[in-house]
Amino acid sequence: EVQVVESGGSLVQPGGSLRLSCAASGFTFSSYAMSWVRPAPGKGLEWVSAISGSGGSTYYADSVKGRFTISRDNSKNTLYLQMNSLRAEDTAVYYCAKMGGYRGPDYFDYWGQGTLVTVSS
Amino acid sequence: EIVLTQSPGTLSLSPGDRATLSCRTSQSVSSSYLAWYQQKPGQAPRLLIYGASSRATDIPDRFSGSGSGTDFTLTISRLEPEDFAVYYCQQYGRSPITFGQGTRLENK
């Protein structure tokens, strides 16, 4: 059974940093691209970042480029999102999602339950 | 970026009814790289349809997708009580990946 489980969300001050993790199981982790997605108030869902199966290619939404860094450790079946210079508008539930292929863009076939990031003083 | 516009914003129907949800894209989506998701309160989104018309694993056949180019449709042939939720379309034909704003399907 495919599972992805996020962790690391918490309350952080504006300008602060946070690292999210996503532990994956039930599939060959290195064979699939992975992504982070968050809700966007009034706009549905917002894709945040993606990484290819090998980790050699990374992709970012303009809203987080230069502030967030996606990475993966295929030996640990774990995806990460390093979030720096956090802003109030980054407050959201962050979903980890498995993508349908080796590299993006692609659809998301399995999602975690999400981890809540709150940016507030 | 490709903008996705879903209509209607809210759809009020009853169990047993047929639901038709629309997703229009601002540019043609190559190779029908369009997906549909269902999200219930407090839950993660669930993939229903990919490639515009292919059902995902374990999705009942009352869900079907159609369309190409800039106009896509999700049809639920006969609504079950568990189908009342928010539905999103997503394009993955061109970066960045983008989603529609959602259609809320509510029980009349």
Side-chain angles (χ1 to χ4, degrees):
Chain A
E1 179 191 4
V2 173
Q3 283 195 317
V4 289
V5 180
E6 305 92 336
S7 61
S10 71
L11 172 64
V12 61
Q13 291 189 339
S17 297
L18 203 59
R19 189 175 84 154
L20 306 183
S21 299
C22 171
S25 61
F27 63 100
T28 304
F29 185 65
S30 60
S31 293
Y32 293 92
M34 298 290 294
S35 262
W36 293 95
V37 180
R38 67 186 183 186
K43 295 183 180 180
L45 298 167
E46 179 185 26
W47 167 76
V48 173
S49 183
I51 187 168
S52 64
S54 68
S57 298
T58 57
Y59 313 86
Y60 298 95
D62 286 346
S63 58
V64 306
K65 199 173 294 183
R67 301 187 299 122
F68 290 10
T69 302
I70 192 171
S71 61
R72 64 192 295 161
D73 185 337
N74 286 347
S75 69
K76 296 182 178 179
N77 287 359
T78 302
L79 175 72
Y80 303 100
L81 186 67
Q82 178 67 43
M83 311 166 70
N84 298 332
S85 303
L86 281 161
R87 306 167 179 166
E89 55 265 35
D90 295 318
T91 294
V93 172
Y94 283 74
Y95 294 105
C96 167
K98 172 186 173 293
M99 301 183 82
Y102 180 74
R103 43 189 309 151
D106 215 320
Y107 56 86
F108 308 101
D109 54 0
Y110 291 94
W111 300 62
Q113 287 303 303
T115 188
L116 176 62
V117 173
T118 303
V119 184
S120 175
S121 55
Chain B
E1 72 177 41
I2 298 179
V3 177
L4 280 64
T5 303
Q6 292 186 241
S7 61
T10 301
L11 186 58
S12 298
L13 295 170
S14 301
D17 288 347
R18 179 185 185 89
T20 303
L21 287 67
S22 174
C23 177
R24 181 162 292 178
T25 63
S26 62
Q27 302 171 45
S28 182
V29 176
S30 59
S31 303
S32 297
Y33 286 152
L34 189 112
W36 289 93
Y37 300 85
Q38 176 193 68
Q39 187 173 30
K40 298 179 181 179
Q43 296 185 17
R46 178 174 71 145
L47 176 68
L48 300 174
I49 301 287
Y50 63 95
S53 60
S54 297
R55 264 188 306 277
T57 303
D58 295 331
I59 301 303
D61 60 7
R62 64 179 182 274
F63 291 91
S64 64
S66 63
S68 63
T70 61
D71 286 293
F72 298 87
T73 301
L74 175 70
T75 301
I76 310 172
S77 60
R78 189 175 172 84
L79 285 167
E80 297 287 343
E82 62 267 27
D83 297 337
F84 294 96
V86 178
Y87 291 82
Y88 296 101
C89 57
Q90 174 230 340
Q91 69 80 25
Y92 51 101
R94 186 178 301 180
S95 188
I97 291 167
T98 47
F99 291 87
Q101 82 282 13
T103 289
R104 180 177 304 278
L105 178 56
E106 63 177 29
N107 196 334
K108 184 187 285 186

